[in-house]
Amino acid sequence: MTAVKDATDDYFRHKSDNQVNNRLSEVLINSKLQNEKWMNVKVGDIVKLENNQFVAADLLLLSSSEPHSLCYIETAELDGETNLKVRHALSVTSELGADINRLAKFDGIVVCEAPNNKLDKFMGVLSWKDSKHSLNNENIILRGCILRNTSWCFGMVIFAGPDTKLIQNSGKTKLKRTSIDRLLNTLVLWIFGFLVCLGIILAIGNSIWENQVGDQFRTFLFWKEGMKNPVFSGFLTFWSYIIILNTVVPISLYVSMEVIRLGHSYFINWDRRMYYSGKSTPAEARTTTLNEELGQIEYIFSDKTGTLTQNIMTFKKCSINGKIYGEVHDDMGQKTHMTKKNEPVDFSVNPQADRTFQFFDHRLMESIKLGDSKVYEFLRLLALCHTVMSEENSAGQLIYQVQSPDEGALVTAARNFGFIFKSRTPETITVEELGTLVTYQLLAFLDFNNIRKRMSVIVRNPEGQIKLYCKGADTILFEKLHPSNEDLLNLTTDHLSEFAGEGLRTLAIAYRDLDDKYFKEWHKMLEDANALMDERDERIAGLYEEIERDLMLLGATAVEDKLQEGVIETITNLSLAHIKIWVLTGDKQETAINIGYACNMLTDDMKDVFIISGNTAVEVREELRKAKENLFGQNRSSSNGHVVFEKQQLELDSVVEETITGDYALIINGHSLAHALESDVKNDLIELACMCKTVVCCRVTPLQKAQVVELVKNYRHAVTLAIGDGANDVSMIKSAHIGVGISGQEGLQAVLASDYSFAQFRYLQRLLLVHGRWSYFRMCKFLRYFFYKNFAFTLVHFWFGFFCGFSAQTVYDQWFIALFNIVYTSLPVLAMGIFDQDVSDQSSMDYPQLYEPGQLNLLFNKHKFFICMAHGIYTSLVLFFIPYGAFYNVAGEDGQLIADYQSFAVTMATSLVIVVSVQIALDTSYWTVINHVFIWGSIATYFSVLFTMHSNGIFGIFPSQFPFVGNARHSLTQKCIWLVILLTTVASVMPVVVFRFLKVDLFPTLSDQIRQRQKSQKKARPLRSQRPQTRRSSSRRSGYAFAHQEGYGELITSGRNMRAKNPPPASGLEKTPYNSTSWIENLCKKTTDTVSSFSQDKTVKL
């Protein structure tokens, strides 16, 4: 049964894999481009890729549609980063272009490194045309990337299939089994040993009985003297009892478990509340063997990009000259919460506005109408200081090619408010300002990097003024401000804290007017620095620092990295369920921290946030030691570096965890994590991390994600769940006990490797708190009842052995033994295992603490097994000895003897069926029609079969098979028999009823309390009030996060990424009216009614 089910699961996985393997790519075959399946792409093939297409293999870029054979790729599936990256072909191969004949004749030879999992490194040499050319990672496009903003490109396959770096990072698929499965394997061995012990006891009894009593039967049985050896008789009896008592070994248990798991899987598939209508995607249980493990999760490892976030940036708010824009106000000017009734700003007056952009604060448009110079300068900066490229599509619409979604959001906002970035050349930037085309001369581009955390442009406007526009992290930029900005700085700082408290990504905005003479001197020094061979980068950085000072603050931007719907509520509920959530992302530290705050995983109320960023093993060890000192105290850390036995370490950690007060968080970078995962440091890492409420790992590779999961599995022995949506999450998903794939923006690699899949992160709480908890609850209740039933049924034979001379005589009719587990008791326990629930699904979501018993493994463990075993033994004693005592030397109502073997067997069998049926009725918490039909129907079926098999008719047909002829009719018409059955049932069930009553009354569990509350209320629970958004303004922190990459400034100023266009005006400085009248007139017409009310509040008081 299990083999068939597993084979079915593998078949459906195979079908899913085929969908990927059968994707088509254009491959150059016999000088023609032909569609070829991914599975048939091999090393040396030349493949053509088109825009927005997935890359089928690791390719050497040969040529592309872009200037200098550049191409842009999105690597979110590999490293989780949302910004585009640039790859370029070698100059010798870029000449091939799109010429199919020349590409077909390409006969270069590549000698490179062996297949490996390093995503950021590649070493190789291309030999072609009697020359050799070195290759590095900038020339390679990896499988899993998506081609963006590039019409086409050609590449030669370097690695294909399992040799690709993506698959090398995916890890091996492991056979996953639940902790209950592993426990059952142990228990079955114990039960088998128990069966052998019973057989030995009865065999010894038989040998003794044969030796002392059996001699008296030899004459009667016509045995010759010494014919039957007592020892040999005991040996035969041992095997006879092994056969008779074999029902104590739960063979049918495994079949029943698979049926129950299958039912639970269908419940997940059919759950409409986990169906995402946006993509018509239902939840899917891709395996049927792990359902109850969903109710025992202690650690969740989550990807960030596409899992917690939508990978969509939206301009939400800004602070300009000390005034916040982006908040919603009522008629009285008071700030209110956003509702569906709020009307967005009407951008229809701007024909080139992005129609998808929404902004609800009308005051910003009013400030533009009133000609606020600070607002103009703010929006002008957003339109000038960026690396965005623009082009027009066939419909004449302006399309932005953005390197990072943050910049796209800022430039789009400026565009909608009338400052439209139109085009750029290496020397100029053209902006349409409120209908007027203005061309700025680009004098210098001070590029972004992770150390500077800012970027600047120096431009000359048509009036001849030189301005430096700068945007970057507030913590860096505020140090560069002119002292006259102190008042505005304090106000903007408060606004930034407010934005950061709302989880928004912030950038500070500033500018500086430059003197022409000073700029020329500075630019000359910059040219000299660029010509240096030694210390070039340091000199350039110093010059950047020199000119980026005495800045004038304009304000700040607040961009929302849109979380998926329900992420905050989901994380909050899972945290209340004592599930620890770790974020493992390939993205930058600032971005990950920002999302941590946005999700409420990180809060300002935390006692401390430990940041581990050491570059060497010594630095990492020292940072971990200091963090442990802060967390545990000096004495606790003094044992650092010593080996502690694992069991003692776990006990010590559990004690320390109870003594820690307050919440802590740990943030660690990928390069530090590589050292922390070394054998002599990993103990410190796992000890510190497991004491923290939140752990965020940044810049981690796919393999490191899997290593972190394995670390927690091995050292904490906790049940883990990994959730992600990209190919970079596959290894993590495979390593965790449960792998969940989100069918999101990044393809289907994660889904194909997962055990469960759905479309939105918010469905995770329903999967765990409802389906997982119910599955665990049902499975444990099923197992407890099943073991009880088997022991009660089987051990009666053991007691009977002491009264039948240990002759291996069965106490029941052989047909009853055959049908008991299959017919009489199979369906009720299946119904309970599939449908039962202690509280409703809504209560499971409302009270996440209900999840805790699964984490602590309270509902079924070795202790519970022995309780079930003792309960079964007690029931078997009652089932045997009460009828035995009642039948001892008793006559029936008609004066005939009723204490015969057959009547005794029928009485015991009837008592057993009724007792186990009443017991399952007591165990059932949630009654359905199916439960009623199966429980009471099983009793009815028993009596129907009993009277049929004891009838004269069937005895006449099969006299040797049905010897109990007429016994049921004779026995069950006696009142004393029914009194014996009643007494047996009451004696078996009453202790359980009393115990449970006292337990619920004196020591109720949380589920008992909730059930009692629901019964007492008997009315609909009032709707929960929406939790208001709280602003964390208790402490100052930066909300800076910028998904940008160094190097784009050089690309822009060199012109290598620009197509040839009409030359710019000779001076480079022109101002051209462009539909200005209609734009301004339309704006005036739209806003005439509101000018008077706004003019009263047009000044800003500091």
Side-chain angles (χ1 to χ4, degrees):
M1 183 77 178
T2 305
V4 171
K5 183 188 66 62
D6 287 347
T8 305
D9 287 346
D10 288 343
Y11 169 72
F12 284 114
R13 285 179 183 269
H14 177 69
K15 283 183 64 177
S16 300
D17 290 341
N18 275 343
Q19 293 177 1
V20 174
N21 293 332
N22 290 326
R23 284 179 179 173
L24 298 179
S25 284
E26 287 188 281
V27 180
L28 194 58
I29 302 175
N30 298 326
S31 301
K32 292 182 180 178
L33 284 173
Q34 300 180 17
N35 286 328
E36 189 65 77
K37 295 178 181 178
W38 279 23
M39 59 192 293
N40 297 327
V41 173
K42 58 185 181 296
V43 174
D45 284 347
I46 293 179
V47 177
K48 180 183 180 182
L49 297 175
E50 295 183 346
N51 196 29
N52 298 327
Q53 191 173 351
F54 276 95
V55 182
D58 292 354
L59 306 177
L60 168 64
L61 181 61
L62 298 178
S63 61
S64 80
S65 59
E66 299 303 298
H68 304 279
S69 284
L70 298 177
C71 76
Y72 302 92
I73 57 171
E74 181 182 296
T75 61
E77 276 216 41
L78 296 177
D79 55 23
E81 293 191 18
T82 55
N83 55 298
L84 299 184
K85 294 180 175 62
V86 180
R87 295 291 182 264
H88 59 83
L90 296 173
S91 56
V92 292
T93 62
S94 62
E95 300 170 356
L96 297 172
D99 190 332
I100 300 299
N101 292 326
R102 294 180 66 185
L103 286 164
K105 295 176 182 177
F106 177 73
D107 57 355
I109 297 174
V110 174
V111 178
C112 66
E113 60 190 16
N116 59 70
N117 55 26
K118 296 180 180 178
L119 296 173
D120 56 347
K121 292 182 181 178
F122 180 83
M123 295 177 62
V125 176
L126 169 65
S127 301
W128 189 43
K129 293 183 177 179
D130 299 326
S131 60
K132 294 185 177 181
H133 310 274
S134 63
L135 302 175
N136 57 36
N137 205 46
E138 300 299 312
N139 312 123
I140 303 297
I141 307 176
L142 299 181
R143 175 175 175 171
C145 297
I146 304 175
L147 192 67
R148 298 290 194 199
N149 299 342
T150 307
S151 299
W152 53 263
C153 74
F154 285 89
M156 184 175 73
V157 177
I158 301 294
F159 298 128
D163 292 339
T164 57
K165 290 181 181 285
L166 174 66
I167 304 301
Q168 289 282 312
N169 270 287
S170 295
K172 295 181 179 179
T173 302
K174 301 175 182 177
L175 178 65
K176 295 183 178 182
R177 283 287 178 254
T178 66
S179 57
I180 286 182
D181 278 333
R182 294 190 291 273
L183 176 61
L184 279 180
N185 291 338
T186 302
L187 295 182
V188 168
L189 291 176
W190 288 4
I191 292 172
F192 188 78
F194 178 68
L195 171 63
V196 171
C197 291
L198 294 180
I200 291 173
I201 291 171
L202 294 169
I204 293 172
N206 178 265
S207 296
I208 295 172
W209 189 89
E210 284 290 343
N211 186 47
Q212 296 181 359
V213 184
D215 290 341
Q216 302 172 15
F217 289 84
R218 283 177 180 159
T219 305
F220 175 74
L221 295 174
F222 303 103
W223 286 355
K224 294 181 181 179
E225 189 70 26
M227 182 177 178
K228 193 168 186 181
N229 188 333
V231 176
F232 182 68
S233 174
F235 175 76
L236 295 178
T237 302
F238 169 78
W239 293 109
S240 299
Y241 271 112
I242 291 293
I243 295 171
I244 292 172
L245 300 175
N246 78 88
T247 51
V248 78
V249 180
I251 302 301
S252 61
L253 173 70
Y254 288 96
V255 178
S256 302
M257 286 178 65
E258 298 302 339
V259 173
I260 291 172
R261 284 169 171 167
L262 186 64
H264 295 170
S265 299
Y266 277 112
F267 287 157
I268 294 173
N269 296 344
W270 293 339
D271 192 341
R272 292 186 178 182
R273 296 189 184 182
M274 295 172 66
Y275 176 82
Y276 183 54
S277 57
K279 291 185 178 179
S280 300
T281 306
E284 182 183 5
R286 298 172 54 80
T287 181
T288 56
T289 58
L290 304 173
N291 295 323
E292 64 270 17
E293 197 103 301
L294 289 170
Q296 299 180 277
I297 303 299
E298 294 179 64
Y299 288 86
I300 291 177
F301 300 91
S302 174
D303 180 39
K304 180 190 74 69
T305 307
T307 303
L308 299 177
T309 66
Q310 297 183 34
N311 203 5
I312 298 172
M313 304 293 177
T314 308
F315 183 86
K316 296 294 286 185
K317 293 183 179 182
C318 60
S319 170
I320 305 176
N321 197 29
K323 187 174 183 177
I324 291 182
Y325 296 96
E327 295 175 337
V328 180
H329 296 78
D330 59 18
D331 297 336
M332 302 297 292
Q334 298 295 319
K335 187 169 60 176
T336 61
H337 291 292
M338 188 81 66
T339 64
K340 292 183 179 179
K341 295 180 180 179
N342 294 116
E343 289 291 332
V345 174
D346 184 7
F347 293 111
S348 61
V349 294
N350 183 354
Q352 299 191 66
D354 186 338
R355 302 304 174 194
T356 62
F357 178 80
Q358 284 191 322
F359 199 77
F360 291 88
D361 192 346
H362 296 261
R363 296 175 305 148
L364 183 53
M365 190 63 86
E366 297 294 341
S367 296
I368 296 171
K369 170 64 182 68
L370 293 172
D372 189 326
S373 61
K374 294 294 184 182
V375 173
Y376 279 19
E377 196 73 352
F378 182 90
L379 295 172
R380 186 177 291 118
L381 185 150
L382 297 185
L384 290 171
C385 185
H386 56 77
T387 60
V388 175
M389 302 295 294
S390 66
E391 62 181 28
E392 289 188 357
N393 62 12
S394 57
Q397 296 175 327
L398 196 61
I399 304 297
Y400 288 152
Q401 298 181 2
V402 296
Q403 187 255 337
S404 70
D406 304 74
E407 288 211 318
L410 297 177
V411 176
T412 299
R415 169 183 176 176
N416 276 54
F417 286 111
F419 286 74
I420 306 168
F421 166 65
K422 297 290 288 186
S423 63
R424 71 161 75 243
T425 70
E427 297 85 21
T428 64
I429 301 175
T430 302
V431 177
E432 181 188 330
E433 298 182 358
L434 301 177
T436 302
L437 278 180
V438 183
T439 301
Y440 293 85
Q441 184 179 353
L442 179 60
L443 302 176
F445 198 109
L446 283 59
D447 203 3
F448 171 91
N449 67 32
N450 287 326
I451 298 172
R452 284 166 38 77
K453 294 186 179 179
R454 62 189 184 277
M455 66 184 296
S456 303
V457 293
I458 302 175
V459 298
R460 190 193 304 273
N461 64 20
E463 288 76 27
Q465 298 171 326
I466 299 177
K467 286 182 177 284
L468 180 145
Y469 292 115
C470 182
K471 67 182 181 185
D474 50 296
T475 52
I476 302 293
L477 208 63
F478 286 173
E479 297 175 358
K480 311 292 182 186
L481 295 180
H482 192 274
S484 62
N485 289 269
E486 184 176 353
D487 292 336
L488 181 58
L489 172 60
N490 293 332
L491 197 56
T492 305
T493 298
D494 292 339
H495 294 167
L496 283 167
S497 296
E498 185 176 320
F499 296 158
E502 296 172 11
L504 302 177
R505 301 163 66 132
T506 59
L507 287 174
I509 304 294
Y511 75 101
R512 180 186 179 189
D513 292 316
L514 298 176
D515 179 73
D516 199 349
K517 181 181 177 182
Y518 169 73
F519 172 74
K520 287 180 179 178
E521 293 175 355
W522 177 86
H523 196 263
K524 177 68 170 63
M525 289 188 289
L526 181 65
E527 290 177 342
D528 294 341
N530 278 317
L532 292 176
M533 296 298 292
D534 298 326
E535 299 183 353
R536 174 176 174 269
D537 292 339
E538 290 80 0
R539 287 287 301 276
I540 292 175
L543 289 170
Y544 284 0
E545 289 284 334
E546 180 185 330
I547 201 167
E548 289 175 328
R549 60 183 174 83
D550 293 336
L551 302 176
M552 301 302 293
L553 182 61
L554 279 172
T557 62
V559 172
E560 181 185 27
D561 187 358
K562 269 198 169 180
L563 295 175
Q564 288 198 13
E565 185 182 345
V567 164
I568 296 176
E569 183 183 4
T570 300
I571 289 175
T572 302
N573 279 354
L574 294 177
S575 298
L576 290 173
H578 303 291
I579 298 174
K580 292 187 176 180
I581 302 176
W582 293 20
V583 176
L584 310 180
T585 177
D587 217 336
K588 295 182 348 185
Q589 179 176 307
E590 296 92 350
T591 308
I593 292 174
N594 187 273
I595 290 299
Y597 278 103
C599 298
N600 286 345
M601 295 171 62
L602 300 174
T603 66
D604 291 331
D605 298 329
M606 286 183 163
K607 278 198 169 183
D608 205 349
V609 177
F610 307 118
I611 297 180
I612 309 298
S613 55
N615 292 311
T616 65
V618 176
E619 291 177 2
V620 171
R621 186 183 292 108
E622 182 63 21
E623 289 177 354
L624 288 172
R625 185 189 64 79
K626 289 181 178 178
K628 286 172 63 181
E629 283 181 5
N630 290 339
L631 191 62
F632 301 130
Q634 184 71 34
N635 293 334
R636 180 70 180 88
S637 290
S638 61
S639 62
N640 182 35
H642 295 287
V643 178
V644 183
F645 288 106
E646 194 171 287
K647 186 175 181 181
Q648 294 175 341
Q649 181 67 47
L650 287 173
E651 293 174 355
L652 188 60
D653 286 347
S654 62
V655 172
V656 173
E657 193 167 0
E658 291 176 0
T659 61
I660 290 176
T661 57
D663 294 331
Y664 295 85
L666 173 67
I667 296 165
I668 184 168
N669 279 308
H671 55 81
S672 304
L673 186 63
H675 298 298
L677 290 173
E678 294 175 0
S679 58
D680 59 335
V681 188
K682 64 171 63 174
N683 285 334
D684 297 328
L685 172 66
I686 194 67
E687 186 178 357
L688 175 64
C690 290
M691 298 302 150
C692 293
K693 179 182 179 183
T694 300
V695 178
V696 179
C697 300
C698 322
R699 292 288 193 188
V700 291
T701 65
L703 196 60
Q704 283 179 324
K705 290 185 177 185
Q707 288 173 334
V708 171
V709 174
E710 290 290 346
L711 186 65
V712 174
K713 283 174 60 179
N714 295 335
Y715 280 78
R716 297 294 294 181
H717 300 292
V719 181
T720 59
L721 179 145
I723 180 169
D725 71 324
N728 59 325
D729 304 314
V730 168
S731 57
M732 173 175 73
I733 286 171
K734 287 182 176 179
S735 296
H737 292 98
I738 303 286
V740 178
I742 292 184
S743 49
Q745 307 285 337
E746 302 180 17
L748 293 173
Q749 291 292 327
V751 171
L752 295 178
S754 67
D755 305 304
Y756 300 88
S757 68
F758 41 71
Q760 295 280 292
F761 181 83
R762 69 178 186 269
Y763 298 145
L764 181 62
Q765 67 169 326
R766 186 167 179 84
L767 181 69
L768 299 186
L769 301 185
V770 178
H771 292 287
R773 202 185 73 82
W774 277 354
S775 293
Y776 175 72
F777 169 78
R778 291 162 176 166
M779 185 61 71
C780 292
K781 186 178 275 193
F782 161 79
L783 291 172
R784 294 199 304 267
Y785 176 80
F786 201 97
F787 283 120
Y788 153 76
K789 172 176 68 75
N790 271 21
F791 280 111
F793 166 61
T794 306
L795 291 181
V796 172
H797 294 295
F798 179 76
W799 312 125
F800 185 59
F802 289 90
F803 297 89
C804 68
F806 305 98
S807 60
Q809 170 70 43
T810 59
V811 71
Y812 305 117
D813 174 18
Q814 60 179 349
W815 287 102
F816 177 80
I817 296 174
L819 297 176
F820 178 75
N821 275 325
I822 299 174
V823 176
Y824 302 149
T825 59
S826 61
L827 294 181
V829 71
L830 283 178
M832 182 180 70
I834 293 175
F835 299 107
D836 203 36
Q837 51 184 263
D838 54 346
V839 296
S840 65
D841 58 341
Q842 189 58 53
S843 295
S844 297
M845 300 277 278
D846 291 340
Y847 302 95
Q849 297 85 352
L850 288 167
Y851 193 78
E852 191 173 5
Q855 297 168 319
L856 301 176
N857 206 20
L858 297 179
L859 300 187
F860 187 76
N861 47 43
K862 293 173 183 176
H863 175 69
K864 292 288 185 183
F865 168 75
F866 285 118
I867 291 176
C868 298
M869 185 176 176
H871 186 196
I873 293 172
Y874 166 76
T875 303
S876 68
L877 284 167
V878 171
L879 284 170
F880 179 80
F881 285 102
I882 287 182
Y884 179 81
F887 277 39
Y888 192 74
N889 291 333
V890 172
E893 296 173 9
D894 54 1
Q896 296 183 4
L897 187 69
I898 61 171
D900 60 282
Y901 161 71
Q902 292 187 348
S903 298
F904 182 65
V906 168
T907 303
M908 285 185 56
T910 305
S911 301
L912 175 63
V913 171
I914 293 176
V915 165
V916 296
S917 298
V918 172
Q919 184 63 49
I920 200 170
L922 291 174
D923 287 346
T924 301
S925 306
Y926 182 74
W927 285 89
T928 65
V929 173
I930 296 175
N931 292 89
H932 282 291
V933 170
F934 282 179
I935 292 175
W936 315 126
S938 294
I939 296 176
T941 301
Y942 163 72
F943 284 109
S944 301
V945 172
L946 179 68
F947 282 105
T948 301
M949 289 193 301
H950 292 195
S951 64
N952 296 332
I954 201 164
F955 174 76
I957 301 172
F958 305 104
S960 61
Q961 299 297 323
F962 298 95
F964 280 47
V965 58
N967 186 270
R969 187 172 59 254
H970 174 262
S971 298
L972 297 180
T973 54
Q974 305 281 339
K975 294 178 182 177
C976 60
I977 297 291
W978 284 106
L979 286 173
V980 170
I981 294 172
L982 177 62
L983 179 61
T984 304
T985 304
V986 171
S988 298
V989 173
M990 190 54 64
V992 178
V993 174
V994 172
F995 174 78
R996 292 185 181 179
F997 173 80
L998 293 175
K999 183 174 177 293
V1000 171
D1001 194 53
L1002 300 177
F1003 307 103
T1005 62
L1006 180 59
S1007 60
D1008 294 332
Q1009 297 172 15
I1010 294 171
R1011 277 203 308 273
Q1012 198 64 33
R1013 192 176 307 162
Q1014 289 173 341
K1015 289 177 182 177
S1016 62
Q1017 288 177 349
K1018 289 187 178 180
K1019 59 182 180 180
R1021 187 174 179 274
L1023 292 173
R1024 290 176 293 171
S1025 59
Q1026 192 171 0
R1027 193 176 300 154
Q1029 252 190 332
T1030 57
R1031 292 182 175 175
R1032 296 179 292 269
S1033 56
S1034 58
S1035 63
R1036 167 80 179 109
R1037 73 170 177 83
S1038 172
Y1040 161 73
F1042 194 42
H1044 206 73
Q1045 188 182 23
E1046 184 179 6
Y1048 269 74
E1050 184 182 349
L1051 274 176
I1052 288 169
T1053 53
S1054 68
R1056 289 194 297 133
N1057 63 336
M1058 298 181 187
R1059 303 178 189 278
K1061 293 186 179 179
N1062 295 329
S1067 66
L1069 302 171
E1070 285 196 0
K1071 183 180 278 191
T1072 308
Y1074 181 76
N1075 198 21
S1076 58
T1077 305
S1078 61
W1079 207 102
I1080 295 296
E1081 283 182 352
N1082 286 339
L1083 184 59
C1084 291
K1085 190 175 180 181
K1086 289 275 184 182
T1087 58
T1088 299
D1089 298 334
T1090 57
V1091 169
S1092 57
S1093 62
F1094 179 78
S1095 60
Q1096 299 171 1
D1097 190 36
K1098 66 181 180 180
T1099 59
V1100 177
K1101 294 180 182 180
L1102 298 181

